[in-house]
Amino acid sequence: MRRTILILTGALLAIGLSEARAQEGEPEFRTITMTTFTIPQGKGQKFMEYVDTYMMPAIQADPNVLGFRIASHHWGGHDFNTLMIAEYESLAGLAASEEFQDQWIDENYPEGSAERETAEKALQEDLLPYFVRHTDNILTANMNRAK
């Protein structure tokens, strides 16, 4: 609830700032989210199976997500450091995305169905254990400094 209030407050501020910038001819800004966490060695495959089965279809269907990447540790150390990076038009787009994906899950994995039960079990076993120590960042990007 608190996160939703913060997102909505930020969205209202971002909308107001975006309108003011557009009137002044200033650059376009985008909202970027970055979630980081570590997956113990040997658990990455199950995690990515969860991502491919349950997360990516909703993200790919979501018109609010302008871009999405999962970057994984490639060299050094023993853990599977992972970053999820998403781009939205604004904070309002981020809030709309959360609502869209909640609805998408409810439509594709209805409450009480065997499919929902399987998805919830996979969430508990293959995703949530690694989110215990995750960090979230909501960033603003000046698109004049983007490629």
Side-chain angles (χ1 to χ4, degrees):
M1 179 70 164
R2 183 178 173 168
R3 180 179 178 194
T4 301
I5 291 170
L6 288 173
I7 289 172
L8 293 176
T9 301
L12 292 174
L13 289 171
I15 290 168
L17 290 173
S18 295
E19 289 177 10
R21 286 182 186 125
Q23 291 173 0
E24 296 172 13
E26 289 196 24
E28 175 183 1
F29 285 80
R30 295 276 173 82
T31 297
I32 309 288
T33 61
M34 184 172 62
T35 301
T36 60
F37 51 95
T38 301
I39 301 171
Q41 190 173 20
K43 303 289 185 178
Q45 183 175 349
K46 290 295 285 179
F47 172 81
M48 288 302 177
E49 287 173 9
Y50 177 87
V51 168
D52 292 342
T53 301
Y54 298 106
M55 291 178 64
M56 290 311 302
I59 290 167
Q60 290 171 336
D62 188 341
N64 303 291
V65 177
L66 303 179
F68 181 82
R69 301 281 189 275
I70 295 181
S72 300
H73 182 84
H74 181 70
W75 187 257
H78 295 287
D79 291 329
F80 195 63
N81 297 324
T82 303
L83 290 89
M84 289 184 173
I85 305 161
E87 181 178 346
Y88 307 89
E89 189 173 307
S90 63
L91 285 170
L94 171 58
S97 177
E98 288 182 355
E99 187 174 318
F100 176 91
Q101 290 186 33
D102 286 345
Q103 290 174 355
W104 191 94
I105 291 293
D106 288 342
E107 290 171 8
N108 290 276
Y109 298 94
E111 283 286 337
S113 69
E115 293 84 3
R116 180 68 164 250
E117 192 173 309
T118 300
E120 291 290 334
K121 182 179 179 191
L123 175 70
Q124 295 295 322
E125 293 175 1
D126 302 329
L127 181 81
L128 291 181
Y130 315 115
F131 270 68
V132 173
R133 291 190 177 98
H134 79 279
T135 59
D136 287 320
N137 290 281
I138 299 176
L139 312 163
T140 302
N142 178 332
M143 295 310 289
N144 284 347
R145 296 183 190 110
K147 178 179 177 187

